[in-house]
Amino acid sequence: MKYLFENIQTVSELIHAREKTILLTDFDGTLTPIRKHPDLAALSEEIRQILIKFTQDKAIFLGIITGRSLKQIKKLVNIQDVLYVGNHGIEMEGPGIRSTCPEAKKARSTLWHIYMKLFKSLRHIEGIYVEDKGLSISLHYRAVKKRGDVEQVSRTLHAITKPFLERNMILLSEGKMVYEIRPPVKWNKATAIQWLLTDYFPLKFNEDVLIIYLGDD
């Protein structure tokens, strides 16, 4: 893996050599620092102005790909002419596209049931945050201080999700001090980018384009 700021001169030369650059970026941990609570994340004015300049440059196309819900990421960024990809690719909205995975919608009632069970079972633990993102659930334990509580969170989560996992009704993954519960569909950040490269961008751009992705995972 090559790191952007260690190769910035090479990247700059590549950008100026192409007619079009597609810049895709994550949000948490990339455009903003990771916070103890996801509601504390905010886009700085400096970064906001940089992103606005990107959208005003006809040679640059900007997309933000995140695990946050589409509604939430649009509110946090609040910039026009940006491709927003939420819930790890399940939801997309931007120039020429507005899409939600239909299979994911079918899992909504199951996810709500799991959310309520997790909330009721873990609400006594200080620092825990069960986040309902509509078409997925995030279980944040970054602010949980006691090791015993962290272990209880893990045990409770796996006990609640086990029957749904066994019936292939959900997917469970772990990130940076967060568990993600998602519908049993193919979408994640990697598959979302792959779909954009094969099915979305070729319809919009005929030029030889440079594609850059910024992210912490």
Side-chain angles (χ1 to χ4, degrees), residues 180-212:
E180 299 280 357
I181 304 166
R182 305 201 297 269
V185 295
K186 66 178 182 178
W187 293 105
N188 55 50
K189 291 176 184 176
T191 56
I193 292 173
Q194 186 60 47
W195 183 87
L196 290 170
L197 295 180
T198 57
D199 291 74
Y200 177 69
F201 292 131
L203 298 177
K204 292 187 65 63
F205 308 121
N206 296 319
E207 307 100 322
D208 182 25
V209 300
L210 171 67
I211 300 170
I212 298 174

Side-chain angles (χ1 to χ4, degrees), residues 38-127:
D39 289 350
L40 297 176
L43 200 63
S44 71
E45 189 56 31
E46 179 184 7
I47 296 297
R48 181 181 301 279
Q49 290 305 315
I50 290 173
L51 296 181
I52 290 173
K53 287 182 180 179
F54 285 157
T55 63
Q56 293 172 342
D57 188 334
K58 293 183 179 180
I60 298 176
F61 181 91
L62 177 63
I64 298 175
I65 302 177
T66 177
R68 290 178 180 265
S69 70
L70 181 64
K71 180 179 179 180
Q72 188 178 43
I73 192 61
K74 287 176 61 181
K75 183 178 180 180
L76 284 167
V77 177
N78 194 27
I79 298 175
Q80 299 295 317
D81 300 319
V82 173
L83 171 65
Y84 293 100
V85 179
N87 264 315
H88 302 276
I90 290 174
E91 306 172 285
M92 300 186 189
E93 186 174 316
I97 186 171
R98 187 171 186 175
S99 173
T100 302
C101 175
E103 290 81 5
K105 291 181 181 180
K106 297 176 183 178
R108 175 57 187 156
S109 60
T110 298
L111 291 169
W112 177 251
H113 177 70
I114 294 171
Y115 167 79
M116 290 304 300
K117 293 192 74 170
L118 287 171
F119 178 78
K120 291 177 181 178
S121 300
L122 298 172
R123 59 184 172 183
H124 65 283
I125 294 180
E126 184 178 356

